[in-house]
Amino acid sequence: MVRFVQLYHPLPDHARWRHAEQYSRDLLQTTEEVDESSSTTPHHVFICRRTHPSHCLGIFHGENPLNCSFNIILFDLVLMILITTMLRLLLKPLKQPRIVSEIIAAIFVGPSVLGQSKKLTEQVLPDNAQFVVANLGAIGFAYFLFVTSVETDFSVLRKVGKKHVYSAVIGVFFPITTVCIVAHCFKSSIHGNLAKPVGIGSVASSVSVTVFPVIYLILKELRLLSSEVGRMAMATAMVSDVMGIILVFAFVAVKHGQHSGADALWFMISVIVLMAFAIIVIRSVLLWIVEKTPEGKPVDRSYVVLILLGVLVMTFFSDMFGLVFLHASLLLGIVMPDGPPLGATMVQRSRTIVMELLMPFTFAILGLNVDVFAMANYGWSNLEPLFAMVIAGYLSKLIATSAVALFFGVPFKESFTLGLMMNLRGLYEVTIFLKWLDEGILETPTYTLMLLLTTLMTGTCSALICFIYDPTKQYMTNKRRTIQHTPPGTELSILVGIHDEECVAGLINLLETSHPTMTSPFAVYAIHLFELVGRAFPVFIDHDKPERPPKYINYKKIHNALKLYQKPRSEYVKLRSYTVATVKRTMHQDICDLALTYKATLILLPFCNKRLDNLAGSEIVRHVYGMQSINSRVLANSPCSIGILVDKGYTHNPIAMQYYHQLFFRRCVVLFLGGADSREALAYADRMATNPEVSLTAIRFLSYNNIGDDEMEKKLDDGVVTWFWVKNEGNSRVAYREVVVRNGEETLAAIQALDNDTNELWIVGRKQGINQVLLEGLSKLSENPELGVIGDYVASTDFGSTASVLVVHQQIMRG
C-alpha cells in the first residue's frame, strides 16, 4: 500500500509529547487533499512512504517480522525489559536502585546509542511506532501514579513531629532560594524560556521537592523502610510531597495566567471541581464498595475492573478540561481507602502489570528524547548555568536537611544519611522534565542534562547511603545475651514473634513449658507481624498506649489470647504486646530493634511449614517463603539467641481452643550434637526440667574414636554437659544418655530409634560447632537451612514424628 503524504519533518522536541494528535490530524488532512488532486503545489513537497501493516504472514512467506507494527511494539517491549534486566544485574553490586537501570536502558534505546544507527532506528522504532510507544507510556505513567498514590496515606501527617516538618519546609525553601541566587548570578548566560521566572522556578522545584512514592520505592529496594532514618525520611518526604503538590498547582496556574487572568481562574475552578467530585462522590462510592466486601475477603473483580477503567475516564476528562491529565490518576489514588480490602486489592492486582509491562513504554519515551550528542554540540557556556543551578540545589538540600536533623539531636551519620535520602529522585521527576520539554521550558540538550544529573545524583546517593548507613550494625553487641550466660534467679527477657493466629497456641505452650516462677520471672514482649499491603508507610502499634490501630489490622484475637495467658501469672510474667505492619523484607529489623531495645535474651519465632489448608497453592508458596525468609534474616542479624518452633500439635485448632488443652509439652527430648547451639539448647532445656510436669531426656551424640572433634568445642561441651548432669542427678524426671556414631546415617538411625508416640517436643541446636562427622552425608537432605540439618530432618514428614520441634541458635558475637 502506497500513500502520498507531506514530507515528514521531525516535530520539535518540545512538541513530541503533547501535539502528536494534532500532527496526525494535519497529516491526514494533507493526505486527503493529495488524493483529491494528484498534482503537487508549490507549497508542499511530497514523497512516497510505505505504511506498516498490523500483522504479517510470517517468515516462511518471505516477510520481515519487523515490517509489521504489532511485531515492532512487541520487539520494543521485549528489548526494553531485557536491557533493563541486564543493567539491574550489572548495577546491583553497586547498590543502584531499579530506577537508575531503567533510565540508563531508556537512554540506550534512544538516539544516544541505538539511535545512531539510522537503519536500526527505522526498523525498531519508526515514526508510527514512536507514536504508539508515547501513548502507551503516558497510560503506564497514569497507572503508576494511581498505584503509588493508593499506597500513600496522608493521615500520617497528623502524627509527624516538628523535626519532620522543619526538615521538609527548610529542605524545600532553602534550595529554592539557592537556585534563584545562582540563576541571578548567571542571568546573562541563560537563554530562552529557561531564563523566565517560570523556567527558574521549575528547576528550583525539581531539586527541592522530594516525592514520597519515589523515596518509598527506593528505600524499599534498599531495605531501609523499617530503619530509624528510613522512617524519618518517609515522614519528611510526606510533608515535602504535600508542598510539592501545592507548588505544581501554583506553577500550572501561573502558566495559564501568562495568557490572561481568566485562564488562571478557570484552571483553579476546574481543579476545585475535580477535587470536590473525587472527595465527595468517588470516595463515597469506594467506601460503599468496602462496606459491601465481606470481612477477610478481597474486593470483587468487577469492582477492580471498574476502578481501573475509572483511572482512564478521570484522565480523559482531566485532559479535556485543560488540566494536567496525570493529576486525575493521582487524585483518584489519594481518595482510595488505603489498606485491605480495597487499597490492598488494587495494588496486588495491578502492580505487576503496570510496573513490568506498561512502564517500559514510559521509560522508552523518556529515552527517545535524550540526545547526548545534541547536548555536547550545545556548548558548555549554554549548559553551565543549568548545571550550576541543579548542583547548587541538590547540595543546599543536603546541607539544609542534615543541619535541621542535627539541630533536633539526630547523630551526624544519621543526619547526613537523611540528607542523602531526601536527594533521591525517580520517575515522577524525570517525567516532569518531559513535560517541560513539551512546554518549551527545556530544549533537548537541557532536558538531557537534567535527566543525566538526576540519574547521577540518585545513583550516587543510593551508593553512599548503603556505604555509610547499615541499620544492622547496631545489633552487633559485645554483651552476651544468651540463656546459657543468664544467671539463675534473674528475669528472662523473651521476644515472641507472631505471624498469625495459628502460631499463638504453640508459642504459649512453649512459654509455659519454660516454667516461669516467682524466683525466675519472665518478661515477654510479643510482636504481631502484619504484612503491609496497599499502603507505603509502616505502622508500629504499642497496645499499652491509647492509640487507635487501623481498621484493617486484625489484632484483637492474638492480643486477647496473650492477655488471657498472662493474667493468672501476672506476678511472674510481664507482658507487653505490639503490632507491626510493614513489608516482609524489613520485618526482621523491627524484631531485632525491639529485642535490642528491651535487651532480650531469646527471640522465639514460629516456623511456617506447609500445612496451611485455608490458603490456595500459590498463596502457600508465597506465605511460606516470606515467613522463612524473615526467620533467616533474624538469624543473620539477631542481637541475642533465637528459638524457632515447628508446632505440629495445634495447627487446626482455633486460637481460643488452646485453653481446653494442656499448656505445656510434657515429654521433651534434647538432641545434643555439640557446639554453641547445642549448649544453648541444653541450657534452655534445663529451665524446662524445673517444671514438675515435664520429663526430659538428653541424648549426647559422640563421634567414634573422637574423629573430627574440635578440642576447644569438646571442652566447652563437656563442661556444660557435666554441669547439667550434676544439677539434675537427683531429678527422676531427667535422663541422660550418650550415643556413639560413625557418620550421619548412624546419627539418623539413633534419632529414629528414640521416636515414640509419647514424645511431644524435640529440642535441638541448629548448626554452630557440630562435628561434621556426625552429619556426614546429610547436607543434601536439608531443605530449610534456618532449621539446620538435624532440625529439618526431625521436623520433616519423612521422620514421621508428631512431636513439635524447637531449634535453638545461640547468639553470635559480632561486636
Side-chain angles (χ1 to χ4, degrees), residues 136-208:
L136 288 175
I139 293 173
F141 187 59
Y143 276 116
F144 169 79
L145 284 181
F146 169 72
V147 172
T148 53
S149 58
V150 167
E151 296 179 305
T152 305
D153 181 15
F154 285 99
S155 63
V156 176
L157 291 171
R158 297 194 297 260
K159 304 176 184 178
V160 297
K162 288 184 178 180
K163 63 181 177 182
H164 307 121
V165 175
Y166 281 111
S167 295
V169 173
I170 297 176
V172 168
F173 287 107
F174 184 67
I176 290 178
T177 305
T178 304
V179 171
C180 292
I181 293 173
V182 174
H184 179 73
C185 296
F186 285 91
K187 62 180 179 179
S188 60
S189 303
I190 305 177
H191 305 291
N193 290 330
L194 195 59
K196 297 179 180 179
V198 173
I200 296 173
S202 300
V203 176
S205 63
S206 70
V207 298
S208 61

Side-chain angles (χ1 to χ4, degrees), residues 288-333:
W288 176 81
I289 293 175
V290 173
E291 292 177 0
K292 288 292 182 179
T293 303
E295 185 177 355
K297 300 293 183 180
V299 176
D300 188 78
R301 184 179 300 175
S302 59
Y303 294 133
V304 175
V305 174
L306 286 175
I307 293 172
L308 292 176
L309 180 62
V311 176
L312 299 179
V313 173
M314 287 282 289
T315 302
F316 170 78
F317 281 107
S318 176
D319 196 48
M320 185 177 71
F321 291 129
L323 305 176
V324 179
F325 73 95
L326 299 174
H327 289 165
S329 57
L330 180 68
L331 185 59
L332 184 60

Side-chain angles (χ1 to χ4, degrees), residues 88-89 94 137 224 276 311 329 349 351 415 426 441 485 511 550 603 636 658 742 785:
R88 287 176 64 184
L89 293 175
L94 301 179
L224 295 175
V311 176
S329 57
R349 297 282 176 87
R351 175 179 286 280
S415 298
I441 297 174
H485 298 91
L511 288 174
I603 297 175
Q658 61 181 294
R742 300 172 184 269

